[in-house]
Amino acid sequence: MANLVCLSKLRLLAGFSGIRQGAGGAEMVAECLRRTGMIGWCAGSAVRHSSFRSSPAFGHLDDHPPVEIAHNPPEWKFVERLLPPATVPTPRHRPNYPSGWRPQQPNITSSPYFIARTRNHMIPVYLKDKFRGSKKITVIHKIQGDIFLLHAELEDLVQKAAGRKILSRLNEMRGTIEFTGAFANLIKNYLQEKGF
């Protein structure tokens, strides 16, 4: 269809080649192409597709055949397996996982601070870009308990790894700690070793 439209445009342009060179020839060619439907909003398609206005009205409910509604039929189990789960399922317990991921340990409740996992069972440590990627910031979320003790531990860890003083900021109300620099993997590994 597209090739036919292009060929017919070429034929029309070839026919108007003498007119085009004169005064007002370009406007005449454009108007002819618009009238024939080769350019403009309806170019390439002269078929009007169906819409809801052209569909027949539903009518009265009694005019249609009755529908039997079945509650909990035996076939429903085949539909249920296609539906996505409402929540993220709890991972099966294994001694080790291929990705290196580890679940949160149950013995960390005695710690003075706690870091909750995300709904996908991941440690909430993120690396953010600022100023079009020229500045990296590592952010730790979902901190509960003694946030100042955790900040002191992580600050010591990050400064030893960087070999210099690193700027940081903590927000006790939101339960977040931010470090200037890309230290997300270092902090994730440290928290995972501690059982979080």
Side-chain angles (χ1 to χ4, degrees), residues 128-145:
K128 293 187 176 179
D129 290 336
K130 295 269 179 117
F131 305 113
R132 296 185 181 179
S134 63
K135 185 177 182 182
K136 306 283 185 193
I137 295 181
T138 304
V139 185
I140 304 106
H141 289 281
K142 298 190 171 201
I143 303 168
Q144 302 168 10

Side-chain angles (χ1 to χ4, degrees), residues 141-195:
H141 289 281
K142 298 190 171 201
I143 303 168
Q144 302 168 10
D146 192 355
I147 192 171
F148 299 101
L149 178 63
L150 176 64
H151 177 258
E153 289 179 14
L154 293 178
E155 191 174 37
D156 185 45
L157 173 77
V158 166
Q159 287 179 3
K160 281 182 183 174
R164 60 185 171 86
K165 185 162 178 62
I166 298 295
L167 295 175
S168 63
R169 177 172 63 179
L170 65 92
N171 189 333
E172 188 179 8
M173 298 301 290
R174 289 179 58 205
T176 61
I177 299 175
E178 296 180 2
F179 289 98
T180 302
F183 303 105
N185 290 335
L186 177 72
I187 294 172
K188 272 185 190 177
N189 293 336
Y190 175 76
L191 295 175
Q192 201 166 28
E193 290 297 325
K194 291 197 77 172

Side-chain angles (χ1 to χ4, degrees), residues 10 27 34 38 67-68 82 107 110 115 126 130 161:
L10 287 174
E27 290 84 9
R34 231 179 258 111
M38 296 198 180
V67 177
E68 180 186 350
L82 299 174
N107 59 356
S110 60
I115 300 171
Y126 306 101
K130 295 269 179 117

Side-chain angles (χ1 to χ4, degrees), residues 41-72:
W41 61 273
C42 62
S45 175
V47 179
R48 186 175 187 280
H49 298 287
S50 178
S51 70
F52 73 94
R53 287 191 180 96
S54 63
S55 301
F58 181 76
H60 198 267
L61 190 61
D62 296 334
D63 297 339
H64 299 281
V67 177
E68 180 186 350
I69 300 172
H71 296 284
N72 296 327

